Amino acid sequence: MGTMILGDANVHHEKWLKHSCKTTPAGRQLEKVCKAAGLKQQVRLPTRGPNLLDLVLCDTAAPTNVTARIRDHQMVEACLDLSV
């Protein structure tokens, strides 16, 4: 079926996560893990101020929308089309 990992990751990687302010060791490590597992970052807009911290990592297509703000984060909606 597929794999989806989502959450407030608090990692930064300027080249991989487009709205990062820096590149951290955790960001580099997460990118390596995702590449090895075939996971792609689906969220394309900032989710906390100017930064992208709320990630949707998926090995299938999962369209995402950055929606309403709750406190200091914006919600992320991810959609999966699963057929059995």
Side-chain angles (χ1 to χ4, degrees):
M1 283 213 159
T3 300
M4 177 184 272
I5 301 169
L6 50 110
D8 180 358
N10 287 319
V11 299
H12 300 274
H13 194 296
E14 289 177 298
K15 289 184 181 177
W16 179 51
L17 304 173
K18 296 297 179 197
H19 297 282
S20 293
C21 60
K22 58 189 169 189
T23 299
T24 62
R28 283 196 277 289
Q29 184 63 35
L30 183 59
E31 182 193 28
K32 287 179 188 175
V33 168
C34 288
K35 280 186 178 181
L39 301 172
K40 295 189 190 256
Q41 177 13 41
Q42 305 290 317
V43 183
R44 301 288 177 233
L45 298 172
T47 58
R48 183 171 188 251
N51 297 307
L52 171 59
L53 298 181
D54 301 285
L55 307 180
V56 175
L57 307 168
C58 196
D59 61 3
T60 61
T64 61
N65 288 315
V66 176
T67 64
R69 184 182 176 129
I70 297 179
R71 294 194 179 244
D72 60 344
H73 286 260
Q74 287 180 255
M75 291 191 309
V76 176
E77 173 186 53
C79 300
L80 285 176
D81 182 15
L82 300 176
S83 305
V84 179

